[in-house]
Amino acid sequence: MARPRTPLLSRGRIVAAALALIDAEGLDALSTRRLATLLSVSGPSLYNHFGTKDELLDAVVDSVMGEVDLSMFERPAPWGEALRDWARSYRAALAAHPHIVPVLAQGPGRRPNALRLADAVFGCLVEAGWPRGQATRIGALMRYFITGSALGSFAAGFPEDAKLYAADYPHLGEAHLLAEHQRRIDEGAFETGLQALLDGLDLRFRRLTATD
């Protein structure tokens, strides 16, 4: 029997094509018609795998969550070290797919990989001795920080026009140069913020355990 010219349609193939489209052109580019054209199939065939566009988008977002390394929570390690390594992996996944961040920021919903992530972080903190309520807040805090850092570039937001700053913004005399160092500045800002968060949490944890 001759093999079909077009590979058989599957959820994985649809999700991969949708993610590639979003990465290249943004969330607004995703449509059933456009995706069907890219996959060389008819539009209705996609609904055999995903009932709605929102269901497909959930699967795409969860595939990005599946790129986040959680192995640090499976080995013996101080909770702060585990959070640090996880945060870096989480940000790397979002940096690779920045157009997904606004949807991801809405919460885990029913997404399996996102729920595994939340479970791993919460479990790590509770097992380390954090009260459950504080562990929940710390998990939320870390997610706010990481997703916020991936929403855009601070350095790229300054126009490359030195004259714009000269008269009215004396402390921004070199702001026009920031865009040239975008990656270094943005990654440095993330690392500075991450360390500050972990230092503050460590101090809080020491005070908490000192009263026990």
Side-chain angles (χ1 to χ4, degrees):
M1 181 181 294
R3 298 180 62 185
R5 294 181 180 179
T6 303
L8 293 176
L9 203 57
S10 66
R11 285 178 64 92
R13 185 169 170 240
I14 295 170
V15 167
L19 179 57
L21 178 59
I22 293 170
D23 283 344
E25 301 182 31
L27 281 168
D28 291 342
L30 181 63
S31 69
T32 301
R33 179 178 297 180
R34 182 75 186 282
L35 193 55
T37 299
L38 290 174
L39 290 166
S40 300
V41 299
S42 63
S45 65
L46 297 177
Y47 292 108
N48 293 327
H49 299 273
F50 296 98
T52 65
K53 179 181 173 180
D54 286 343
E55 183 182 338
L56 168 59
L57 193 54
D58 253 7
V60 172
V61 172
D62 203 48
S63 72
V64 174
M65 290 294 89
E67 297 179 13
V68 181
D69 183 15
L70 300 179
S71 64
M72 66 286 298
F73 298 117
E74 299 170 1
R75 59 177 184 261
W79 61 268
E81 180 181 316
L83 282 188
R84 182 198 63 209
D85 293 346
W86 162 72
R88 288 172 174 168
S89 178
Y90 196 166
R91 183 179 183 274
L94 300 191
H97 310 286
H99 295 307
I100 283 294
V101 178
V103 182
L104 181 148
Q106 297 171 6
R110 296 178 180 272
R111 302 167 191 154
N113 287 324
L115 290 170
R116 275 191 286 272
L117 185 154
D119 181 71
V121 173
F122 181 75
C124 169
L125 293 168
V126 171
E127 289 174 6
W130 283 96
R132 294 174 68 87
Q134 292 195 38
T136 298
R137 290 192 287 273
I138 292 169
L141 166 66
M142 296 298 294
R143 194 169 70 86
Y144 296 154
F145 171 67
I146 297 164
T147 55
S149 74
L151 279 174
S153 168
F154 173 80
F158 290 87
E160 299 178 12
D161 180 3
K163 296 178 182 178
L164 175 67
Y165 312 98
D168 299 319
Y169 311 103
H171 299 296
L172 298 180
E174 296 185 351
H176 63 290
L177 302 175
L178 293 178
E180 299 177 10
H181 309 284
Q182 176 182 338
R183 181 173 180 177
R184 178 170 60 84
I185 292 170
D186 291 343
E187 290 184 355
F190 173 78
E191 287 294 330
T192 299
L194 178 60
Q195 191 60 56
L197 275 177
L198 294 177
D199 285 347
L201 289 173
D202 182 63
L203 180 59
R204 187 182 184 93
F205 187 69
R206 290 174 185 274
R207 290 174 177 170
L208 176 72
T209 54
T211 61
D212 290 344

